[in-house]
């Protein structure tokens, strides 16, 4: 082998190394797809074992999520919330902080929106301008309260050493209980038989252009995409984002370059909670229009963990993962009406997705055994 | 006393502070609401607190074994949900809506076996396939939250079961009439007594037997254990499977006391598995300390009922938040527990 050849070999090796870096992205996508497929397959087996027709169930999954314009609008409606909540989780996970409390921050943000709007509505004119002001104020209230509710476990972790996984889970239970009390006692709508707050005034609604669905607004979609873009830019193009990610992955390097690790934890959690609160505001203004007992509002914040993991905590990756979960949620509301398969199955499938995402090694091994995709899968 | 050997000075101080705080709180209640303390802290209260504490204590003992051996089992909550559901389902399949006491005991055994199998699967994913322990543990929770209500819906047509049966108390005639502790000691659920036994045996096993030292070494210094010719991963498998079994037993005990399965919201387990994790952190990985912490949380849990009994009108939903708030306070005041040094790292032998 001549020396010029060894130069060529070197170049090939460099090329291969560059490809390998790409391969980790490919690998993650492969793992995400494999995890989801495997979880869905197990779901179908369980459906069959429970005595239902799995093919019919699979068909209903597709029809219920993307089968009609109504289904697509419903999918996008859920996806909006899932993507926002997923981004909130991803921000923290990227920085190596486990914010399991997105559900709680989402609930606190939502109720803050409802309360602030109900309080302020009598002071403002009825028309569109009044509505716009109320929406802005309500969103601001959600963002602030969500941020503060997340800052608390951040402070407790940074300065008290309290494990944020457990404190955020406890704060979820506290949010569910406390907001449940708020909607059943001080803020209960006396004219409603259900346990819920008053409805938001009619002028507090987002315009439904493009889609006829009253619970989906193009404004909600635009806000979501803007948030994704904003977070992606903050994470990859700003020094704050750089410090955040390095303190997640290279703690000593971050410390060496002068990052205050404790403050970083608090600001990361706050940032994450702000987005979770925003998701709560969009949920209230675009979809619900009032607040009910939070033990029944849906596990958006928990599913968001699965979404973020599926997306490898990448803000852009959260979009397809969020749409997948939006589709599942949309299909489950279709299945609830059109089939007698209990929809809780979907929640179980989500759990399986998370489990499989946790064991990439398993899929690598399967890939190696079967020869599918080889090492770069 | 040997327990004191394992209890650091500071923990005693904090425990003392907690007791003082409780007494001050009690005194304030007496002044504000004109409630006599002895009406608030009755023997029945102790009894109910012990019952509330048992599922938490069992999960905590299991969790601390896993973590001592070097594996953070964050899936305790999920295993408790499996345990509660499996025992309810077994009870129902055996005896319909009026199962006998024998059926209840059998259901508890089945629940433990089933959760052990799940835990074995979980252990394989963690140890053999090096799954991320945090993420996989969360997954166990989510799977429990999803599949238990799903299976309940298949079995009973609703996310919760109909009323089944709860376990009979053991009562020792005459002795139960001793004031204060009589009813707590002599009219008690046999499952509380079983838990006390398990806690004591776990303590002895962990600190006084060769196997206990292996478990501790697997978490602290796996290399040394390996050098001594003990298979580290085998010790870890055993510890993780034991932790799943204990959490499953905790769920089954919760069900045997409640008498029916509730699968709505966060299910009837309602965070007790997570509180179990805090209980063993607070108890400094000592089974007896963990059980004492569980008793603190159990007592807070039953405060709601107690306040109602003495006629203090506070929303039940708010009083129910006490244990969760207590967990946060405990974690913050005592967050820096000394975690076994090799927790979370898969161990690979140098063969």
């Amino acid at each position: 082998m001549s020396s010029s050849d060894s130069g060529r070999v070197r170049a090939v090796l460099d090329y291969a190394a560059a490809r390998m870096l790409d391969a980790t992205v490919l690998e993650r996508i492969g793992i995400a797809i494999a995890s989801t497929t495997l979880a869905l397959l197990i779901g179908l087996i369980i459906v069959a074992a429970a005595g239902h027709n799995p093919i019919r169930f699979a068909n209903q999954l597709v029809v219920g999520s993307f089968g009609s314009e109504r289904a697509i609008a419903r999918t996008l409606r859920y996806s909006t919330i899932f993507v926002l909540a997923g981004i909130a989780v991803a921000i923290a996970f990227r920085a190596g902080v486990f914010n399991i409390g997105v559900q709680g921050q989402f609930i606190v943000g939502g109720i803050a929106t409802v309360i602030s709007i109900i309080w302020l509505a009598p002071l403002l004119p009825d028309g569109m301008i009044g509505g716009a002001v109320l929406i802005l104020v309500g969103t601001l209230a959600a963002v602030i309260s969500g941020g503060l509710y997340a800052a608390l476990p951040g402070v407790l972790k940074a300065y008290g050493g309290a494990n944020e996984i457990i404190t955020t889970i406890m704060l979820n239970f506290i949010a569910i209980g406390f907001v449940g009390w708020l909607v059943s006692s001080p803020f209960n709508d006396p004219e409603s038989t259900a346990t819920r707050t008053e409805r938001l005034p009619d002028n507090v609604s987002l315009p439904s252009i493009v889609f006829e669905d009253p619970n989906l607004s193009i404004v909600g979609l635009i806000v979501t995409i803007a948030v994704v873009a904003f977070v992606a830019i903050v994470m990859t193009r700003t020094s704050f984002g750089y410090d955040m990610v390095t303190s997640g992955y290279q703690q000593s390097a971050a410390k060496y370059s002068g990052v205050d690790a404790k403050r970083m934890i608090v600001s990361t959690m706050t940032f994450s909670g702000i987005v979770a609160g925003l998701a709560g505001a969009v949920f209230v203004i675009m979809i619900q229009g009032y607040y009910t007992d939070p033990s029944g509002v849906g596990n958006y914040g928990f599913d968001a963990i699965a979404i973020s993991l599926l997306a490898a905590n990448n803000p852009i990756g959260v979009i397809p993962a969020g749409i997948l979960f939006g589709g599942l949620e949309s299909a489950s509301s279709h299945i609830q009406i059109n089939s007698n398969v209990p929809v809780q199955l979907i929640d179980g499938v989500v759990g399986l997705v998370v489990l499989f995402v946790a064991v990439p090694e398993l899929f690598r091994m399967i890939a190696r055994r079967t020869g599918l995709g080889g090492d770069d899968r | 006393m040997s327990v004191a050997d394992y209890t650091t000075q500071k923990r005693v101080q904090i425990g003392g502070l907690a007791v003082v705080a409780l007494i001050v709180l009690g005194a304030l209640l007496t002044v504000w609401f004109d409630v006599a303390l002895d009406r608030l802290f009755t023997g029945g209260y102790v009894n109910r607190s012990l019952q509330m504490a048992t599922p938490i204590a069992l999960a905590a003992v299991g969790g601390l074994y896993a973590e001592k051996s070097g594996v953070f089992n964050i899936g305790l909550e999920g295993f408790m949900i499996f345990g509660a559901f499996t025992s309810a389902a077994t009870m129902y399949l055996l005896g319909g809506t009026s199962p006998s006491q024998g059926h209840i005991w059998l259901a508890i055994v089945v629940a433990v076996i089933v959760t052990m199998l799940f835990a074995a699967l979980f252990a394989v994913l963690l140890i053999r396939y090096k799954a991320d322990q945090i993420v996989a543990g969360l997954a166990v929770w989510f799977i429990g939250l999803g599949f238990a209500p799903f299976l309940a819906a298949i079995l009973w047509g609703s996310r919760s079961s109909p009323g089944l049966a709860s376990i009979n108390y053991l009562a020792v005639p005459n002795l139960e009439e001793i004031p204060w502790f009589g009813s707590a000691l002599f009219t008690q659920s046999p499952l509380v007594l079983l838990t006390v036994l398990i806690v004591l045996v776990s303590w002895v096993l962990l600190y006084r037997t060769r196997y206990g030292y292996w478990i501790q070494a697997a978490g602290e210094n796996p290399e040394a254990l390996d050098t001594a010719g003990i298979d580290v991963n085998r010790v870890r498998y055993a510890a993780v499977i034991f932790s799943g079994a204990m959490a499953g037993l905790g769920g089954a005990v919760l069900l045997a006391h409640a008498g029916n399965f509730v699968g709505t919201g966060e299910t009837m387990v309602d965070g007790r598995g997570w509180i179990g994790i805090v209980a063993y952190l607070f108890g400094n990985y000592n089974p007896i300390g963990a059980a004492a912490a569980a008793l603190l949380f159990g007592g807070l849990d039953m405060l709601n009922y107690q306040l109602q009994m003495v006629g203090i009108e506070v929303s039940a939903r708010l009083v129910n938040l006490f244990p969760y708030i207590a967990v946060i306070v405990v974690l913050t005041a005592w967050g820096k527990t000394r975690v076994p040094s090799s927790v979370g790292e898969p161990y690979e032998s140098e063969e």
Side-chain angles (χ1 to χ4, degrees):
Chain A
M1 203 184 273
S2 70
S3 64
S4 72
D5 271 347
S6 80
R8 282 249 299 278
V9 169
R10 183 62 209 249
V12 170
L13 279 179
D14 282 348
Y15 176 73
R19 277 297 302 270
M20 284 299 280
L21 283 177
D22 280 344
T24 59
V25 174
L26 277 179
E27 182 187 79
R28 288 204 181 260
I29 294 173
I31 286 170
I33 292 172
S35 302
T36 315
T37 316
L38 193 55
L40 282 172
L41 270 178
I42 293 178
L44 290 180
I45 292 170
I46 291 171
V47 167
H52 301 280
N53 182 347
I55 296 169
R56 216 180 130 228
F57 183 79
N59 187 39
Q60 278 174 332
L61 271 183
V62 178
V63 171
S65 50
F66 298 103
S68 63
E69 206 194 306
R70 248 185 81 201
I72 293 173
R74 195 173 53 211
T75 295
L76 285 177
R77 180 213 301 168
Y78 290 126
S79 303
T80 313
I81 309 299
F82 278 130
V83 170
L84 286 173
I87 288 276
V89 176
I91 290 169
F93 277 28
R94 269 252 128 157
V97 185
F98 288 95
N99 180 8
I100 313 297
V102 166
Q103 179 78 7
Q105 294 137 24
F106 169 83
I107 289 170
V108 167
I111 192 77
T113 305
V114 171
I115 291 176
S116 59
I117 289 179
I118 286 175
W119 273 347
L120 265 179
L123 307 175
L124 286 167
D126 278 342
M128 246 191 56
I129 297 173
V133 172
L134 286 176
I135 288 174
L136 284 179
V137 170
T139 308
L140 197 67
V143 163
I144 293 173
S145 53
L148 286 177
Y149 206 62
L152 177 65
V155 170
L156 296 181
K157 178 188 170 67
Y159 300 99
N163 183 324
E164 82 279 18
I165 298 173
I166 296 166
T167 51
T168 51
I169 287 170
M170 292 300 123
L171 287 168
N172 286 337
F173 286 111
I174 292 171
I176 292 169
F178 184 69
V179 175
W181 172 74
L182 285 180
V183 299
S184 66
S185 268
F187 290 96
N188 189 248
D189 179 5
E191 284 165 30
S192 165
T193 47
T195 309
R196 64 167 175 80
T197 64
E198 284 173 47
R199 272 179 192 287
L200 299 183
D202 287 340
N203 59 344
V204 178
S205 67
L206 298 174
S208 30
I209 323 166
V210 185
F211 298 98
E212 279 177 37
D213 190 317
N215 292 325
L216 173 68
S217 167
I218 205 83
V219 179
L221 291 178
I222 292 171
V223 166
T224 305
I225 292 167
V227 169
V228 171
F230 176 75
V231 172
I233 289 169
V234 168
M235 298 284 238
T236 54
R237 298 268 181 275
T238 66
S239 62
F240 172 72
Y242 180 80
D243 290 347
M244 237 170 78
V245 177
T246 43
S247 50
Y249 286 97
Q250 301 231 282
Q251 222 157 35
S252 49
K255 215 170 185 175
Y256 186 71
S257 61
V259 177
D260 183 340
K262 293 185 173 179
R263 274 183 56 187
M264 209 61 227
I265 291 170
V266 178
S267 36
T268 301
M269 282 297 285
T270 311
F271 189 17
S272 172
I274 284 173
V275 179
L278 178 68
V282 172
F283 174 71
V284 163
I285 295 170
M286 189 175 89
I287 300 179
Q288 214 174 19
Y290 53 84
Y291 223 85
T292 53
D293 190 325
S295 59
V297 296
N299 284 339
Y300 294 101
F302 294 136
D303 291 350
I305 295 166
I307 291 165
S308 178
L309 291 171
L310 208 53
N313 304 327
N314 178 319
I316 310 273
V318 165
I319 292 182
I323 291 174
L324 172 74
F325 275 66
L328 283 175
E329 186 78 19
S330 171
S332 74
S333 51
H334 174 81
I335 287 166
Q336 194 156 30
I337 302 165
N338 296 299
S339 149
N340 47 5
V341 178
V343 290
Q344 286 77 30
L345 175 72
I346 307 270
D347 295 333
V349 169
V350 167
L352 287 175
V353 171
V354 178
L355 185 65
F356 295 141
V357 169
V359 268
E361 199 67 22
L362 185 68
F363 290 102
R364 281 193 200 108
M365 211 163 273
I366 292 171
R368 239 174 280 140
R369 289 269 162 80
T370 56
L372 277 173
D375 276 347
D376 63 346
R377 179 136 180 257
Chain B
M1 202 182 135
S2 49
V3 183
D5 297 342
Y6 297 97
T7 320
T8 55
Q9 194 58 39
K10 193 159 183 198
R11 197 173 308 270
V12 172
Q13 282 170 9
I14 289 180
L17 270 179
V19 172
V20 170
L22 270 181
I23 292 171
V24 170
L25 186 75
L28 286 176
L29 281 176
T30 336
V31 176
W32 280 342
F33 295 100
D34 197 23
V35 172
L37 273 187
D38 58 337
R39 279 183 58 214
L40 198 60
F41 296 100
T42 56
Y45 179 48
V46 175
N47 213 336
R48 282 187 290 276
S49 301
L50 279 168
Q51 275 170 36
M52 269 300 144
T54 41
I56 300 172
L58 288 168
V61 166
L64 82 86
Y65 263 69
E67 193 159 338
K68 276 266 178 195
S69 82
V71 181
F72 191 11
N73 182 355
I74 206 170
L76 294 179
E77 174 91 5
F79 288 115
M80 284 185 82
I81 298 177
F82 288 131
F85 172 76
T86 312
S87 56
T90 314
M91 227 184 263
Y92 179 76
L93 294 174
L94 289 175
T97 49
S98 52
S100 70
Q101 291 295 307
H103 291 150
I104 297 179
W105 283 102
L106 204 57
I108 292 174
V109 173
V110 171
V112 171
I113 293 170
V114 168
T115 40
M116 261 174 102
L117 292 177
F118 280 133
L121 213 63
F122 179 65
V124 171
L125 291 180
L126 290 191
I127 298 167
R128 170 102 167 76
Y129 294 105
K130 304 186 184 70
D132 184 310
Q133 296 182 356
I134 306 270
V135 177
L138 284 172
V140 173
W141 182 31
F142 293 149
I143 290 171
L145 276 180
F147 280 125
F150 167 74
L151 295 171
I154 287 180
L155 200 55
W156 297 298
S158 119
R159 278 191 279 176
S160 302
S161 79
L164 300 167
S166 51
I167 200 135
N168 283 347
Y169 293 171
L170 289 175
V172 182
N174 301 327
L175 289 180
E176 60 183 296
E177 274 153 42
I178 302 171
W180 277 90
F181 61 90
S183 70
L185 282 182
F186 300 110
T187 315
Q188 188 50 278
S189 157
L191 296 170
V192 170
L193 305 178
L194 178 70
T195 305
V196 172
L197 189 71
I198 287 176
V199 167
L200 293 176
V201 170
S202 323
W203 185 87
V204 172
L205 195 77
L206 194 60
Y207 293 119
R208 290 288 180 271
T209 66
R210 182 195 285 269
Y211 201 75
Y213 286 115
W214 289 354
I215 289 175
Q216 299 195 50
E220 293 290 352
N221 197 344
E223 292 79 13
L225 190 63
D226 198 14
T227 314
I230 311 297
D231 186 339
V232 173
N233 283 338
R234 220 152 124 183
V235 174
R236 289 186 175 176
Y237 272 116
V240 174
I241 292 171
F242 175 71
S243 72
M246 284 299 104
L249 177 62
V253 164
L254 186 66
L255 186 102
H257 285 158
N260 68 313
F261 178 75
V262 181
T264 53
E266 312 298 321
T267 79
M268 68 192 299
V269 177
D270 210 14
R272 290 189 176 84
W274 298 106
I275 294 178
I277 294 176
V278 178
Y280 75 70
L281 292 178
F282 191 38
N284 201 22
Y285 299 88
N286 179 324
I288 294 173
L295 188 57
L296 172 73
F297 294 128
L300 284 171
D301 212 354
M302 286 322 291
L303 204 55
N304 174 28
Y305 188 70
Q306 214 57 26
L307 289 176
Q308 264 177 14
M309 290 238 300
V310 296
I312 297 178
E313 287 294 321
V314 196
S315 162
R317 285 202 86 144
L318 291 184
V319 181
N320 283 340
L321 302 182
F322 280 178
Y324 307 128
I325 295 169
V327 163
I328 294 177
V329 172
V330 164
L331 259 194
T332 309
W334 194 251
K336 290 190 185 79
T337 29
R338 216 183 54 78
V339 176
S341 52
S342 292
V343 158
E345 295 164 17
Y347 182 73
E348 263 176 286
S349 172
E350 305 282 328
E351 289 167 313

